[in-house]
Amino acid sequence: MVPFFSFFLLVSFIFSFLTDELRSEAYFGASIGKGGGEYVFETGNRFPNLSGIRGGSRISFPRDPIFFGIQTGYFKNKWEVKGGIKSTLWYQQVSEARDEDFALFTVSTERATNVATREFSYYDSVTVYSGTRNFADGKGKSTLGENQFEVFGRFYFKDANPDLWKPSDGFFLTTGLRYSYFKYVFYDVIQFIDGRPPFYGPIGLGLTFSNDLTELFYGLGYRKTFENFYWDAAFMPSQGIIKTRDFHVQRSINFLSDNYGSGWLLTNEFGVTFSDSFLAFFRLTHHRYFSEGRFVSRGGLTQEDIQSNFAGGFRSHINIKDYNFDFGIVHKWDWNIPEAEDFDDESKGILPGKSKVRKR
């Protein structure tokens, strides 16, 4: 039902634009922002598998790069469409990453459902397994390269106005689509292995982790203006698909995941208009995405890794909990083009059948 609602809203918006003149208001802006939060990939089994092992694995990456963005939008009557691109532009050094392998016990807990609609409960955590003991633990540096593309449509009710330079006080419906591609590189890793004897030392490049995340958002928002100031907030539940490639360099093995999940997006934007066509804004965005799926292994050097290629799929959890602070400037263009005046030949002083001759 939710995807149908989003599809209906977007189609209605596009149809409204195609069946009437495009209104002359449009805007363009640029922004810079700082991210925060974490990304976690987990897999495991609390009960013994065919090998009699109860254990799991967790890979954690930070979500704290600097983002650069551009955005543009058009609005007509009560409708608005806007899109944007955000990017790190290059692979940026981010905080410490971690790769853990752990044992699970009878007292260990597994909490994979973060959004339980039937029980009306919500679990705001990126980790699934607790009460574990690490038998391998690697920590190291990480870099992140990321690109985001998004488009959103809105319909404003009653006194709400899509024009930020005009009075507004009301609600709006919103829906949109966001695609993100991001890749982590985990390197300068210091590895601990609880073996006989134990190992502790540098291993160099650990792994690369590539992600394709597509999310569909739908929700409700509110916009209020106070003279030259405005506040715009929206809450949007989401559904999404994420595909990942986890390449462990030392083992020469790929783990390929396909996960489906849900989450939400909360935006709070404050701005000030300091001319008829310019404004500055500050935006705080909170984002959650919780997913579950399966992964398969491809490649490997050891006998166990090669055998895992034929073992079918393994359960995987990919959870994201992040936020962004963005500062930006927006410029509104006035595309009003005066209509050409209709002058007849007589008003121009030209008689029928005569041509106008320029005097020397």
Side-chain angles (χ1 to χ4, degrees), residues 120-146:
F120 295 101
S121 63
Y122 174 69
Y123 181 55
D124 191 34
S125 175
V126 288
T127 57
V128 173
Y129 300 97
S130 58
T132 63
R133 177 183 177 274
N134 287 355
F135 59 84
D137 198 345
K139 296 182 179 180
K141 299 177 182 178
S142 61
T143 59
L144 168 64
E146 181 165 352

Side-chain angles (χ1 to χ4, degrees), residues 259-313:
N259 281 37
Y260 302 87
S262 58
W264 51 266
L265 186 72
L266 174 65
T267 63
N268 264 289
E269 182 176 320
F270 303 88
V272 55
T273 58
F274 50 86
S275 77
D276 292 337
S277 58
F278 280 94
L279 65 83
F281 69 85
F282 165 75
R283 182 187 303 124
L284 172 61
T285 305
H286 278 275
H287 174 236
R288 302 289 188 272
Y289 177 71
F290 310 106
S291 71
E292 185 175 349
R294 301 186 72 78
F295 73 91
V296 296
S297 58
R298 294 291 181 265
L301 300 175
T302 67
Q303 181 180 349
E304 291 182 352
D305 284 344
I306 295 174
Q307 288 176 343
S308 69
N309 287 231
F310 307 97

Side-chain angles (χ1 to χ4, degrees), residues 235-355:
F235 178 74
M236 293 169 280
S238 69
Q239 296 175 333
I241 302 173
I242 186 169
K243 298 178 181 291
T244 71
R245 176 179 178 266
D246 173 19
F247 177 55
H248 286 244
V249 178
Q250 305 295 332
R251 298 160 59 188
S252 190
I253 186 171
N254 287 286
F255 298 104
L256 308 175
S257 298
D258 284 281
N259 281 37
Y260 302 87
S262 58
W264 51 266
L265 186 72
L266 174 65
T267 63
N268 264 289
E269 182 176 320
F270 303 88
V272 55
T273 58
F274 50 86
S275 77
D276 292 337
S277 58
F278 280 94
L279 65 83
F281 69 85
F282 165 75
R283 182 187 303 124
L284 172 61
T285 305
H286 278 275
H287 174 236
R288 302 289 188 272
Y289 177 71
F290 310 106
S291 71
E292 185 175 349
R294 301 186 72 78
F295 73 91
V296 296
S297 58
R298 294 291 181 265
L301 300 175
T302 67
Q303 181 180 349
E304 291 182 352
D305 284 344
I306 295 174
Q307 288 176 343
S308 69
N309 287 231
F310 307 97
F314 303 89
R315 184 169 52 170
S316 63
H317 304 275
I318 298 176
N319 296 329
I320 301 174
K321 180 180 179 180
D322 60 7
Y323 60 88
N324 282 277
F325 296 97
D326 293 293
F327 300 89
I329 301 290
V330 172
H331 172 59
K332 182 175 71 168
W333 286 310
D334 186 359
W335 286 4
N336 284 317
I337 301 175
E339 295 182 0
E341 296 182 4
D342 242 350
F343 297 105
D344 55 20
D345 289 342
E346 292 184 5
S347 65
K348 298 177 182 178
I350 303 175
L351 296 176
K354 302 290 185 178
S355 61

Side-chain angles (χ1 to χ4, degrees), residues 191-210:
Q191 181 75 47
F192 163 75
I193 301 176
D194 186 11
R196 299 294 183 267
F199 170 82
Y200 180 79
I203 63 169
L205 181 60
L207 57 89
T208 63
F209 209 113
S210 306

